Amino acid sequence: MFSGGPPVHLMWSNMFNPEKPRVKRPVEWKRIASLFRPYWKQEALVIVLILFGSLLGLIPPLCTLRLIDTAIPHGNFTSVCLYVACMMGAALLAGLLGVYQGYLNSLVGEGIVRDIRCSLVSHLHRMPLDFFTSTKTGEIMNRVSSDVDSIDNVVTGTMVTVVTNVFTITSTLITVFVLDWRLACLSVGIIPLMIIPIWPVGRKMYEIRKKTRQKRDEIESLTQETLSISGITLIKSFVREPYEKQRFYNVGSDLMDLEVKLAMVGRWFLMLITAMVTIGPAAVWLLGGWLAIQKAVTIGVVVTFTTLLNRLYGPASALAGVQVQIVSALAVFERIFEYLDMPEESSKTSGSLDLEQVMGKVEFRHVRFAYSENRTALNDISFKIEPGEMVAFVGPSGAGKTTITQLVPRFYDTEEGSVLVDGHDVKEWQLQSLRSHIGIVTQETYLFHDTIESNLRYARADATDEELVKAAQAASIHDFIVSLPEGYKTIVGERGHKLSGGERQRLAIARVLLKNPKILILDEATSSLDSVNEALIQQAFIPLMQGRTSLVIAHRLSTILAADKIFVIDKGKLVEGGTHADLLSLNGVYARLYRQQFRDPDPALLESNSSSLYT
Ligand code: ATP
C-alpha cells in the first residue's frame, strides 16, 4: 500500500545535493500575480490615484500654453492669476494624492511580504528533517529574511513605476498629438532609442543578482556558524579568530566584486538614455523652432511641447529600468518558490488515523533504512515492545540506535519493512496525531531563549501553574528554579546556555512530563555529569517512565539493569535481545560491551537490580 517510489527523505537527499545543477524554472507570472489577489481593492485604489495624479500633472504645462499664447499676449492679468492658481492647485492636490498612494503602497507591499514570509516559514516547519540536515541554516535564514524583504521593493516600487509611467506616457501622448502631430511624431520616434538598448542589460543583471544572492547565503551561513554559542566556543578554543577573519574577508570580497559588477552593468546604456532625455527636447526645439518661424505653430505650443517631453522621456527611461528591476526580482521569486515547492514531510504518504488514546505498543517488522542511497543505517530490524515496557538500546557508537528511535515518530521513512504503533503502520497515522503520543528527550536539549515558564509551556500552552510546578517537581528541577532570583520567569539564555547541561536536561524532562505522552524516547546523556546531577536526572527519569512505553538509548548501567528488555544494535543490525542476565549468559556483543563500559559495577546495585529482573 505504501510502496512505490523512493522514501521522501531520499528524494530530499537528491534534491539537496549541492553538486547537482538546479533545473531552470519557467517564470511563474500567474503565481506572482496571485500574491496580489488579497490586496486587489487597495491596488485598484492605487491605480485610480495614479490615474488622477497623472492627469493632474498635465495641468501645469497646459496652463503654460494658455499663459504664453493667450493670457499674456492679451494682457489679461485675471487669466494669468487663474492659470497660476490652477498650476498651484494641481501640484498641491497631486502631492496629497501621492501621500495617500504611498500609504496604500506600503500597506500592500508589507502585506505581501508578511504573507510570503509566513507561508515560507510555516512550509519550512513542515519540511522533513533531512532538509535541515542537508541545508545550511544561514541559507534558510537568508531566504526567509533578506530575500523576502527585497520583494517589498519590487512589489511596491515596480508596480507603481509601471502603472504611473504607463498612465503618464499615455496621457502625454494624447496631449502632444492633439497639440501638433509633426512634433509628436518626432518625439515618439526618439523613445525606442532609449528603450531598446536596455533589454540585454536585464538578463546580465539577473545572472549577477543570482550570484550575489548565493554569496549572501554563504555570508549568512558563516555568520550563523561562527557566531553561535557552540561556534564561537570552538573558534576561541582553537584560537582560529585570524582564520575566520580571513574566511569572512574572502567571501566579503567576492560579494563586493559582484556588487560592483552589478552597479556597473549597463552603465554605458544608462548614460546613453540619460543623454537622450536632454537630446530629445533639443531635437524638438530644432523642428519646433523652424515650424514657429514658418508660423506653422505658436511659440506656446513649442514651449509646452518641450515641457511635456519630460513627461514622456522620464517615464520611458524609468520603464526601461523597470524591466531590469523585474528581471532581477525574478531571481528572488525563483528562490522563494523553490523552497515553497519542496515537498512537505507528510505530503506523500501521510495517513488519516487519528487516535486520542493509545496503549503504547511499538513494533518494527523487517525494517531497512538508509540515509543516502549507498549507506544502509538499519538492516532487517524486527522487535516488539509491549505497552508500558522499558526497553534499552545499547551498542557501539554509530550502530543505529538513534536512527531506530527516529523512525517511530516518522522523522524518516523506512525503505523496507514497517514500523507500527498500536498495531498501525506509522504511515497510516496522521503525523500530528502520531507525534502527539510520543515524547522525546535527547542529549542535546534545546531550549528557546525565553523564560523557564515559556519553555515548559511549549509542551502545553494551557497548562496551569500548578501543573507546571508538579512537572518541575517530578523532574527534580523545581527547587533549583525557585532558588533563582526570578524563579520561573528566569530567561534561560541562547539555547538554554545559562543553565548547566544537567539542569537543561531536567527542564526537558519536565517539559515532556507536561506533554504526557504514552511513548517515550530517551537518549541518555553520555557527558560526564557529576554524581549529584546524575542522581537528580536518574530521579527525574523514574516518574517520567511510569505508565509509558520507553525506548531508551542507554548509557547508564542503572538504566540497563532496570530495562525490561535490552536490544543490542551493531552495524545497523539487531544482534541480541533479552534481559541483562540473558545477554550476559550469551557471552556475545552485549557481554563484551558490558565488560568494556562497566568494568567495576557496584556489586550491590547489580545484585538488587538483577534480582528484580528475574521476579
Ligand atoms: P551514537 O551512540 O554515537 O549516538 P547511534 O548508534 O545512535 O550512535 P546513529 O546516530 O543512529 O547511531 O547513526 C547510525 C549511522 O547513520 C551512522 O553511521 C551515522 O553516521 C549515520 N547517520 C546518522 N544521521 C545521519 C544523517 N542525518 N545523514 C546521513 N547519515 C547519518
Side-chain angles (χ1 to χ4, degrees):
M1 177 181 178
F2 299 107
S3 58
V8 176
H9 72 274
L10 282 188
M11 265 166 47
W12 271 104
S13 307
N14 294 341
M15 208 174 272
F16 274 88
N17 183 351
E19 264 93 62
K20 271 197 172 180
R22 288 180 186 177
V23 185
K24 183 148 177 26
R25 306 159 61 98
V27 179
E28 297 175 83
W29 294 110
K30 264 194 188 165
R31 195 169 179 188
I32 296 173
S34 73
L35 299 170
F36 288 82
R37 201 165 298 140
Y39 303 94
W40 72 268
K41 280 185 193 157
Q42 286 93 332
E43 288 294 324
L45 197 50
V46 167
I47 292 172
V48 172
L49 290 173
I50 292 173
L51 180 66
F52 268 113
S54 65
L55 290 179
L56 284 172
L58 282 174
I59 293 177
L62 291 178
C63 287
T64 311
L65 173 71
R66 293 276 162 222
L67 278 170
I68 296 175
D69 282 356
T70 52
I72 297 172
H74 293 145
N76 186 346
F77 188 63
T78 317
S79 294
V80 171
C81 291
L82 193 70
Y83 288 129
V84 170
C86 277
M87 287 164 99
M88 288 177 169
L92 277 176
L93 191 57
L96 283 176
L97 293 183
V99 172
Y100 188 48
Q101 182 200 316
Y103 163 72
L104 286 177
N105 261 330
S106 26
L107 207 67
V108 173
E110 295 301 334
I112 290 177
V113 163
R114 177 202 54 195
D115 296 350
I116 295 180
R117 188 168 283 142
C118 284
S119 53
L120 192 58
V121 169
S122 92
H123 182 72
L124 283 167
H125 286 157
R126 294 191 301 270
M127 298 268 243
L129 267 193
D130 209 47
F131 165 74
F132 296 94
T133 51
S134 334
T135 316
K136 288 182 179 174
T137 315
E139 184 187 323
I140 301 175
M141 301 303 290
N142 199 28
R143 293 206 195 197
V144 173
S145 56
S146 54
D147 278 6
V148 177
D149 275 339
S150 60
I151 279 183
D152 185 22
N153 292 335
V154 180
V155 166
T156 49
T158 314
M159 205 276 294
V160 172
T161 315
V162 171
V163 178
T164 312
N165 292 316
V166 165
F167 278 164
T168 310
I169 290 178
T170 316
S171 56
T172 311
L173 275 179
I174 295 170
T175 317
V176 291
F177 272 100
V178 169
L179 281 176
D180 188 87
W181 67 270
R182 291 157 296 192
L183 288 174
C185 284
L186 175 68
S187 320
V188 173
I190 292 168
I191 293 179
L193 296 179
M194 305 172 69
I195 295 181
I196 292 167
I198 206 81
W199 291 111
V201 179
R203 191 74 225 164
K204 185 90 192 127
M205 275 196 159
Y206 168 79
E207 297 300 336
I208 304 177
R209 179 95 11 127
K210 229 175 154 177
K211 284 188 195 146
T212 59
R213 300 232 162 258
Q214 281 160 6
K215 261 306 149 211
R216 280 181 200 282
D217 281 351
E218 247 178 79
I219 290 190
E220 184 88 19
S221 305
L222 262 185
T223 318
Q224 278 273 335
E225 282 177 3
T226 53
L227 297 184
S228 66
I229 296 261
S230 322
I232 198 83
T233 315
L234 190 75
I235 294 175
K236 285 182 189 297
S237 63
F238 282 93
V239 202
R240 295 292 267 172
E241 289 91 343
Y243 165 77
E244 290 300 344
K245 183 182 169 190
Q246 189 58 43
R247 203 150 69 117
F248 209 83
Y249 181 82
N250 292 346
V251 189
S253 302
D254 290 348
L255 181 65
M256 188 185 101
D257 291 344
L258 284 170
E259 290 289 4
V260 170
K261 247 193 210 167
L262 193 66
M264 288 317 291
V265 69
R267 274 285 139 180
W268 296 109
F269 293 115
L270 286 178
M271 188 207 75
L272 208 70
I273 288 169
T274 321
M276 288 309 289
V277 173
T278 321
I279 293 168
V284 170
W285 267 116
L286 190 70
L287 178 64
W290 183 76
L291 286 173
I293 290 167
Q294 305 299 316
K295 303 273 185 248
V297 291
T298 64
I299 295 175
V301 169
V302 183
V303 173
T304 310
F305 233 97
T306 47
T307 320
L308 282 173
L309 286 186
N310 288 333
R311 290 175 49 88
L312 211 56
Y313 296 153
S317 65
L319 276 183
V322 157
Q323 184 255 351
V324 173
Q325 261 182 47
I326 292 177
V327 172
S328 38
L330 289 179
V332 179
F333 275 115
E334 205 177 285
R335 280 163 59 85
I336 290 172
F337 290 157
E338 189 187 6
Y339 265 24
L340 282 175
D341 289 342
M342 288 172 179
E344 293 174 3
E345 57 179 347
S346 58
S347 64
K348 255 195 125 189
T349 52
S350 189
S352 57
L353 190 66
D354 177 12
L355 296 183
E356 236 173 63
Q357 298 290 329
V358 293
M359 306 211 303
K361 188 175 169 185
V362 177
E363 190 180 345
F364 273 50
R365 286 187 194 158
H366 305 289
V367 168
R368 207 185 93 81
F369 173 80
Y371 283 103
S372 52
E373 270 152 31
N374 307 318
R375 245 178 109 188
T376 305
L378 298 177
N379 207 351
D380 198 21
I381 301 263
S382 296
F383 60 76
K384 260 189 207 163
I385 307 172
E386 295 303 328
E389 269 187 343
M390 198 259 261
V391 169
F393 289 90
V394 294
S397 177
K401 304 179 294 287
T402 307
T403 308
I404 289 180
T405 60
Q406 290 195 322
L407 296 184
V408 183
R410 229 189 136 189
F411 287 161
Y412 296 98
D413 278 341
T414 58
E415 250 181 274
E416 282 170 25
S418 44
V419 176
L420 297 98
V421 169
D422 269 23
H424 302 282
D425 192 315
V426 287
K427 290 175 185 170
E428 287 173 31
W429 285 81
Q430 256 181 34
L431 269 186
Q432 276 188 340
S433 173
L434 172 72
R435 289 176 187 170
S436 70
H437 298 300
I438 301 170
I440 303 170
V441 181
T442 57
Q443 290 181 36
E444 279 177 55
T445 309
Y446 194 96
L447 296 173
F448 290 108
H449 192 140
D450 205 338
T451 59
I452 290 179
E453 182 186 337
S454 313
N455 270 292
L456 289 176
R457 280 193 204 281
Y458 199 72
R460 197 149 53 83
D462 61 353
T464 61
D465 289 350
E466 288 72 36
E467 285 173 316
L468 234 63
V469 170
K470 232 174 116 187
Q473 279 169 338
S476 308
I477 189 73
H478 173 73
D479 292 344
F480 165 75
I481 299 173
V482 290
S483 76
L484 296 167
E486 291 179 71
Y488 279 81
K489 300 279 179 212
T490 307
I491 303 276
V492 300
E494 181 65 15
R495 289 172 155 243
H497 272 274
K498 284 189 178 173
L499 304 176
S500 78
E503 287 154 1
R504 280 203 295 274
Q505 200 167 34
R506 277 181 282 147
L507 263 188
I509 292 171
R511 189 167 56 185
V512 168
L513 275 170
L514 271 176
K515 184 180 178 186
N516 197 19
K518 206 68 190 163
I519 299 167
L520 190 69
I521 293 170
L522 214 66
D523 201 343
E524 282 188 339
T526 43
S527 48
S528 47
L529 294 167
D530 62 61
S531 52
V532 176
N533 243 320
E534 164 128 25
L536 281 170
I537 289 192
Q538 208 60 51
Q539 228 176 319
F541 279 156
I542 299 165
L544 186 62
M545 291 186 195
Q546 268 165 10
R548 305 176 211 276
T549 308
S550 312
L551 286 76
V552 187
I553 298 175
H555 295 288
R556 267 182 271 271
L557 178 62
S558 49
T559 313
I560 297 171
L561 293 177
D564 296 303
K565 282 180 204 154
I566 301 163
F567 290 133
V568 185
I569 312 295
D570 193 14
K571 296 191 187 93
K573 286 194 173 155
L574 176 60
V575 288
E576 287 169 15
T579 61
H580 171 72
D582 293 342
L583 297 179
L584 271 191
S585 59
L586 259 180
N587 205 18
V589 180
Y590 177 76
R592 203 173 57 244
L593 268 172
Y594 173 73
R595 281 195 295 270
Q596 274 169 6
Q597 289 187 10
F598 310 106
R599 232 170 263 152
D600 298 309
D602 178 350
L605 179 70
L606 189 57
E607 186 64 30
S608 65
N609 281 290
S610 298
S611 57
S612 71
L613 282 171
Y614 297 116
T615 52

